[in-house]
Amino acid sequence: MLLNFLDALRAAGIPVGIKEHLLLIEALESDVIARRPEEFYYLARATYVKDEGLIDRFDQVFARVFKGVLGQEGLEAEIPDEWLRLVAEKYLTPEEMARIKSLGDWDEIIETLKKRLEEQQGRHEGGSKWIGTGGTSPFGHGGYNPEGVRIGGVSRHQRAIKVWEKREFQNLDNARALGTRNIKVALRRLRRFARQGAADELDLDETIQGTARQGWLDIRMRPERHNAVKLLLFLDVGGSMDPFIQLCEELFSAATAEFKNLEFFYFHNCLYEGVWKDNRRRFSERIPTWDILHKYGHDYKVIFVGDAAMSPYEISHPGGSVEHMNEESGAIWLQRVTSTYPATVWLNPVAEAYWSYSQSTQVIRQLMNERMYPLTIEGIDAAMRELTRKR
């Protein structure tokens, strides 16, 4: 099994060899860890992975080779585990779903949740009022309600306006080989070449002319020619963006290859007062959005990548974020970005034909001054033309 693991790591592009393999075996024979799958995972990762950018690929290989051995980690919600165990799942017809009434606006939903937490004394399932599983209550998981707060579980209908759990997202892998080079070609429209920095490239024409004028060898050097465009890339991760991971990785890979002056940040659903660079540390190492607006000049171009699929409250209301209590609405932060950086666009991986069915997508599109484009070759091309337009 360990040899198969080694072969799988090599096939995934992780540089490992017999030396690391023998080191792992020696560590296991010396009983440096307890005989638990979780500790074996960390030992193997420390032995095989020399670059933290390859951790995501290692995780994928480990999960495939040792499928079923390592359990899921991470705290979901600080409420009794037995409440979160889905024991009954209720399937409703479209007609039944249409008859279920939502509680109303944002404030009423939050107030009702507070009252339920104070009144409820035990676990509940299959109902329409209490916090539970498999029913039509606005609170809990595993059932259906057009507007509510999901507590634990997994998203099924993507109708929750707030989520009570700690979720782990995956970093995008910028080393992923492109499925097509057309994305890279489309991004090349956003080019402005300049020669800056150290003169470390031979200028053949000037060398020939200088030698002819001086009568001796006159070597001339010049800075390397590179794309001088400065780009800020904001990437929506987790939740409804999971189906588009591969597409976003291809875009991310192409962008990091094309733009030397590229800074990227992650956010979830809508931009708020903080973003992050590493999804493994997104709760502990946040970067204030204000710092970004003050650090990077107005000449930067900005690209948002996200499906814009969320509760409208997440955009319009303070406290509307599904993960934390934001003091200012997402709409205010998006307006600050578009005011600071006139060249801003939004790339949406959802097909354009479906945008009109999503209220949040329409709101984001208006905040972007209609500069939302589909994440297709044609859409990227149109977005790059917009970013290069003179203002």
Side-chain angles (χ1 to χ4, degrees), residues 68-120:
V69 176
L70 188 65
Q72 292 185 348
E73 299 179 347
L75 180 68
E76 286 195 340
E78 296 180 359
I79 55 179
D81 291 341
E82 62 269 16
W83 285 25
L84 303 180
R85 193 176 299 115
L86 182 60
V87 296
E89 184 170 357
K90 186 175 183 180
Y91 293 94
L92 304 179
T93 65
E95 293 76 14
E96 289 174 318
M97 289 182 179
R99 287 197 295 268
I100 298 175
K101 302 292 185 180
S102 67
L103 282 177
D105 62 14
W106 164 261
D107 295 330
E108 187 173 352
I109 289 174
I110 296 301
E111 283 300 316
T112 304
L113 175 58
K114 292 179 181 178
K115 292 179 182 178
R116 293 285 193 276
L117 289 172
E118 293 173 357
E119 298 170 1
Q120 187 168 346

Side-chain angles (χ1 to χ4, degrees), residues 141-256:
H141 73 88
Y144 174 83
N145 191 281
E147 229 174 43
V149 177
R150 176 162 63 85
I151 301 176
V154 296
S155 177
R156 282 175 167 78
H157 304 287
Q158 298 181 356
R159 294 299 187 97
I161 62 173
K162 206 165 186 70
V163 179
W164 186 1
E165 67 173 353
K166 179 181 178 183
R167 294 181 291 172
E168 299 297 336
F169 299 151
Q170 177 181 337
N171 289 332
L172 298 184
D173 184 0
N174 66 354
R176 175 182 287 274
L178 292 178
T180 171
R181 65 185 300 269
N182 289 339
I183 294 179
K184 206 169 182 180
V185 172
L187 288 174
R188 287 177 182 172
R189 286 195 177 276
L190 190 60
R191 278 182 167 183
R192 187 176 68 248
F193 287 108
R195 295 189 183 276
Q196 298 174 347
D200 53 6
E201 179 182 276
L202 176 65
D203 188 337
L204 185 59
D205 292 338
E206 285 296 321
T207 298
I208 293 175
Q209 293 179 14
T211 300
R213 286 194 303 268
Q214 304 292 339
W216 62 80
L217 181 60
D218 184 14
I219 297 178
R220 302 290 182 91
M221 305 296 289
R222 64 184 179 184
E224 183 181 358
R225 183 172 177 259
H226 64 276
N227 189 356
V229 168
K230 303 173 182 178
L231 183 65
L232 296 178
L233 184 63
F234 292 91
L235 298 154
D236 182 7
V237 292
S240 58
M241 282 296 292
D242 286 346
F244 307 111
I245 286 178
Q246 180 175 350
L247 180 60
C248 289
E249 283 185 336
E250 291 177 354
L251 174 68
F252 186 42
S253 178
T256 52

